[in-house]
């Protein structure tokens, strides 16, 4: 599937938007509700292919999940030890979060299971979770150089560990903590940089014995989870596209309602402010998942920055759309310390650099980042999304600023996180046409 993108039309003065539910919270909520005692209700669930894959997997493992609507689930938990051996492989689709967290959840079970994924997920590194889970006593076989599928063997027991991941990764931390639920003793993770803590927040909300703070988390094994009602806020990572589109368009103010604003997620907000963007938060309130509020962005004149490396982990999924802002900012924006981008749904450094160059932007690639010379005249181009949802959406935001028509190839995976993206962007005046 491709997109044809035309220049955005003049916007209304003020646009008010909603974005889909948070992907990270949706995965975790359905996994944990499935092993809780009792019935949990999840509202605002992300109706995307990634999180749907996790719902299907939890059903294959024995949880009863009733859909009141596409975004409202009733999960009948089977208890910590109630999951059962699946009769087929468990297909995580495109979802790195699904696969890595499920590996943590499944490696302490007394039945075997196999986690598979699509072509992109099958190329992503799994050693980062296999290694700590093996230290806990898990038995996991992988294919070519620790890549999926992951074949998990039945075990009698896991034991707690104290682990310090080499990369800043909420997925690695969460995989270890989820295995820790099934381990004897204490399981602790210390991070080099604090990452999103939704696993920890949900565990606490569900009554599990856990201690955590920025950069560390510690669980006791073998307790019980109680069912809860969860309201999933809008995903800041999805809001980011509308946010940047508003900033680089003319004469508009856009409000995106009910967005999760946990500190470890909103590095982009800070980075855009440093570039001179007019962005603010309104109506902020506290929830179990951190602050939630409305994000308001107005058309702004941007200038280049050296992106502070301490912001990178807090905006790791937003670097592609940040690069779009950089292409519209006067001067050279420098990004470093972002080597993790090489192992996301695509090699995002290569994906962004090669497409920006096609549009006339000068980019220098480094192993762990890029220099982007912004503010130049852009041309329409034939662009390649590399089957990566965030690359597709980021490119459309920039292509919609150009007079002539651009084509973006390989956009199917936008359905993993933001199925109604085209509709949402049309509210911002973007004309995106879907072609087969
Ligand atoms: C996620 C963590 C991040 C992020 C991903 C979602 C999560 O990955 O990029 O989209 O839900 O834990 P890493 O843990 O690999 O940094």
């Amino acid at each position: 599937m491709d997109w044809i993108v035309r220049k955005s039309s003049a916007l209304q003065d003020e646009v008010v938007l909603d974005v889909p539910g948070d992907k990270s919270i949706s995965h975790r909520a359905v996994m944990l509700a499935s092993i809780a005692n009792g019935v949990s209700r999840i509202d605002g669930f992300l109706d995307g292919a990634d999180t749907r894959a996790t719902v299907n997997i939890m059903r294959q493992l024995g949880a009863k999940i009733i859909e009141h609507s596409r975004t409202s689930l009733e999960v009948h938990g089977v208890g910590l030890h109630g999951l059962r051996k699946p009769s087929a492989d468990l297909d995580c689709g495109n979802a790195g979060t699904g696969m890595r967290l499920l590996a943590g959840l499944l490696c302490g079970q007394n039945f075997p299971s196999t986690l598979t994924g699509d072509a992109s997920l099958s190329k992503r590194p799994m050693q980062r979770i296999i290694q700590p889970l093996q230290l806990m006593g898990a038995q996991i076989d992988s294919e070519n150089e620790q890549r999926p599928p992951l074949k998990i063997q039945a075990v009698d027991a896991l034991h707690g560990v104290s682990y310090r991941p080499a990369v800043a990764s909420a997925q690695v931390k969460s995989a270890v903590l989820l295995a820790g639920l099934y381990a004897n003793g204490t399981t602790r993770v210390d991070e080099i940089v604090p990452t999103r803590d939704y696993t920890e927040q949900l565990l606490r909300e569900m009554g599990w014995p856990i201690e955590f703070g920025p950069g560390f988390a510690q669980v006791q094994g073998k307790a019980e989870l109680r069912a809860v009602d969860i309201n999933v806020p809008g995903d800041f990572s999805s809001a980011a596209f509308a946010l940047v589109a508003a900033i680089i368009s003319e004469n508009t103010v856009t409000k995106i309602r009910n967005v999760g604003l946990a500190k470890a997620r909103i590095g982009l907000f800070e980075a855009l402010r440093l570039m001179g963007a007019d962005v603010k938060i309104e109506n902020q309130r506290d929830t179990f998942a951190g602050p939630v509020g409305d994000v308001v962005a107005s058309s702004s004149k941007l200038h280049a920055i050296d992106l502070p490396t301490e912001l990178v982990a807090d905006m790791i999924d937003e670097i592609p759309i940040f690069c779009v802002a950089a292409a519209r900012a006067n001067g050279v924006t420098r990004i470093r310390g972002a080597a993790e981008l090489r192992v996301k749904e695509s090699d995002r450094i290569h994906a962004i650099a090669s497409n920006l160059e096609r549009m006339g932007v000068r980019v220098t690639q480094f192993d762990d980042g890029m220099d982007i010379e912004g503010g130049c005249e852009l041309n329409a181009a034939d662009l390649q999304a590399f089957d990566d949802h965030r690359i597709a959406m980021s490119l459309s935001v920039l292509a919609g600023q150009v007079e002539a028509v651009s084509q973006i190839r390989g956009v199917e995976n936008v359905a993993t996180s933001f199925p109604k993206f085209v509709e949402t962007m049309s509210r911002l005046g973007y004309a995106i046409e879907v072609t087969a």
Side-chain angles (χ1 to χ4, degrees):
M1 198 168 97
D2 301 343
W3 281 342
I4 308 286
V5 185
R6 295 191 166 76
K7 185 163 172 51
S8 64
S9 54
L11 292 175
Q12 293 152 13
D13 297 349
E14 183 164 324
V15 182
V16 180
L17 299 174
D18 296 300
V19 288
D22 187 279
K23 181 149 72 74
S24 296
I25 299 175
S26 295
H27 278 299
R28 288 157 170 84
V30 73
M31 284 179 205
L32 289 174
S34 295
I35 55 164
N37 297 325
V39 181
S40 296
R41 173 91 183 226
I42 308 175
D43 287 306
F45 187 77
L46 169 62
D47 178 28
D50 274 13
T51 41
R52 293 252 143 229
T54 295
V55 168
N56 289 339
I57 289 172
M58 297 321 298
R59 282 181 173 142
Q60 280 178 271
L61 291 164
K64 183 169 141 201
I65 303 175
I66 298 167
E67 293 180 35
H68 291 294
S69 73
R70 303 284 297 178
T71 59
S72 179
L73 309 183
E74 183 182 299
V75 183
H76 294 244
V78 295
L80 192 68
H81 296 289
L83 297 178
R84 58 157 198 250
K85 181 172 179 251
S87 55
D89 290 354
L90 305 171
D91 183 359
C92 303
N94 190 244
T97 306
M99 180 171 285
R100 293 190 177 123
L101 270 57
L102 283 163
L105 193 69
L106 291 173
C107 71
Q109 307 290 338
N110 60 5
F111 56 80
S113 54
T114 299
L115 294 166
T116 63
D118 70 3
S120 152
L121 183 52
S122 299
K123 285 192 223 130
R124 296 183 66 186
M126 292 295 148
Q127 178 60 8
R128 53 182 60 198
I129 54 147
I130 294 174
Q131 195 235 354
L133 297 177
Q134 282 176 340
L135 286 176
M136 298 176 79
Q139 292 182 29
I140 305 177
D141 297 319
S142 53
E143 299 272 296
N144 49 339
E145 297 179 355
Q146 282 82 39
R147 284 172 165 79
L150 299 181
K151 293 202 166 84
I152 299 171
Q153 309 301 330
V155 291
D156 290 331
L158 297 177
H159 47 83
V161 285
S162 183
Y163 189 69
R164 193 178 163 81
V167 285
S169 167
Q171 293 177 358
V172 173
K173 172 177 63 176
S174 299
V176 174
L177 294 177
L178 292 176
L181 307 186
Y182 292 89
N184 292 316
T186 305
T187 298
R188 182 178 170 104
V189 180
D190 287 285
E191 299 186 278
I192 45 173
V193 178
T195 61
R196 66 194 75 187
D197 61 2
Y198 302 132
T199 306
E200 298 90 306
Q201 299 281 7
L202 267 172
L203 285 170
R204 181 165 67 190
E205 189 77 2
M206 297 173 87
W208 193 275
I210 178 163
E211 283 169 44
F212 63 97
F216 83 95
Q218 181 168 306
V219 288
Q220 301 306 318
K222 311 215 159 156
E224 288 193 342
L225 287 170
R226 61 165 184 261
V228 281
D229 290 342
I230 298 164
N231 256 312
V232 181
D235 198 323
F236 184 83
S237 297
S238 298
F241 303 107
L243 185 64
V244 171
I247 289 167
I248 65 173
S249 299
E250 280 174 5
N251 302 324
T252 182
V253 181
T254 296
K255 181 188 280 189
I256 308 148
R257 287 187 297 207
N258 192 35
V259 183
L261 299 168
K263 185 192 164 292
R265 297 295 303 282
I266 58 165
L268 175 72
F269 204 80
E270 190 53 34
L272 291 171
R273 271 195 174 145
L274 292 173
M275 292 175 120
D278 181 355
V279 285
K280 59 183 183 207
I281 291 166
E282 287 178 354
N283 189 22
Q284 187 169 318
R285 61 254 179 217
D286 281 328
T287 73
F288 80 93
V292 172
D294 303 340
V295 176
V296 182
S298 308
S299 311
S300 312
K301 207 166 164 37
L302 301 179
H303 56 79
I305 58 167
D306 283 359
L307 180 67
T309 44
E310 63 271 19
L311 284 183
V312 168
D314 295 348
M315 56 186 284
I316 193 67
D317 293 337
E318 287 67 67
I319 303 271
I321 190 65
F322 172 72
C323 292
V324 168
R328 297 306 268 164
N330 283 328
V332 179
T333 291
R334 296 185 184 83
I335 303 167
R336 297 290 186 280
E340 275 293 300
L341 295 179
R342 297 270 183 207
V343 291
K344 292 292 180 188
E345 285 84 328
S346 69
D347 173 347
R348 287 184 172 161
I349 294 179
H350 168 72
I352 281 291
S354 57
N355 282 298
L356 288 186
E357 278 165 358
R358 285 178 181 207
M359 293 186 75
V361 184
R362 286 168 69 164
V363 183
T364 312
Q365 280 192 54
F366 298 90
D367 288 347
D368 66 340
M370 282 164 272
D371 284 355
I372 298 172
E373 285 185 41
C376 67
E377 189 144 337
L378 299 172
N379 54 262
D382 190 348
L383 304 169
Q384 175 54 256
F386 297 98
D387 298 322
D388 182 331
H389 56 140
R390 297 201 199 285
I391 297 298
M393 292 186 276
S394 300
L395 293 175
S396 74
V397 170
L398 192 59
Q401 300 290 317
V402 182
E403 205 57 61
V405 175
S406 292
Q407 176 145 8
I408 308 176
R409 298 178 191 276
V411 302
E412 284 87 353
N413 281 337
V414 170
T416 61
S417 66
F418 203 156
K420 293 193 176 143
F421 178 76
V422 169
E423 234 170 286
T424 303
M425 293 305 284
S426 74
R427 303 272 323 281
L428 278 170
Y430 271 71
I432 304 174
E433 189 188 320
V434 181
T435 65

